[in-house]
Amino acid sequence: MTISLHDVDGEHSLTWGTGGLAADAAVAAAGHEPNGYFWEGLVQFAWPDIAERLDFDSEAGMFCAVGSSSDLMELKAAVEPVITSPEAARDIIARAETSGFEFDD
C-alpha cells in the first residue's frame, strides 16, 4: 500500500488504493466496506480541521483528497498510522459510532 502525493499542473492531491490495507479486516469487522468513501468519512471524523480545508474525489477503489500540499502532507502523516493498523482503525470507528457519525460507505 502506498500513499501518493501528486502535483499536476499546480493541483495537489493525495491518494491511496483501497483493498489490501492492513486495517481492512478491522473495517469490515465493524460492518463497513473499506472503500474510498469509507476512508473519506474516517478522515472527516478523525481530522475535521484538516478535512474542512480539502476537497474529496474518492471512488470505491481509491481515496482521493485535493488541497494544498501542506494540508495533504499533514493528512498523510495523520492517516498513515491508521490505515496500517487494525487497532487504530478500530479505535476511530468506535469513537465515530459512539458519537453518532454515519459513514457513507
Side-chain angles (χ1 to χ4, degrees):
M1 182 288 310
T2 302
I3 297 178
S4 301
L5 289 165
H6 309 275
D7 179 0
V8 178
D9 297 328
E11 182 174 274
H12 303 280
S13 63
L14 180 139
T15 63
W16 68 80
T18 61
L21 300 175
D24 283 356
V27 173
H32 298 287
E33 182 69 33
N35 59 30
Y37 306 113
F38 167 81
W39 290 110
E40 187 175 308
L42 185 132
V43 165
Q44 291 170 337
F45 172 78
W47 303 284
D49 54 324
I50 300 172
E52 71 184 10
R53 299 189 303 264
L54 302 174
D55 292 317
F56 295 94
D57 190 19
S58 299
E59 301 172 359
M62 178 188 73
F63 171 88
C64 179
V66 178
S68 73
S69 61
S70 60
D71 287 339
L72 294 172
M73 288 176 62
E74 185 179 351
L75 177 59
K76 181 180 188 288
V79 80
E80 201 159 28
V82 175
I83 64 177
T84 58
S85 167
E87 297 79 18
R90 270 194 294 272
D91 177 60
I92 293 173
I93 293 167
R95 287 189 290 122
E97 290 174 347
T98 298
S99 76
F101 183 83
E102 294 283 330
F103 287 95
D104 182 22
D105 55 332

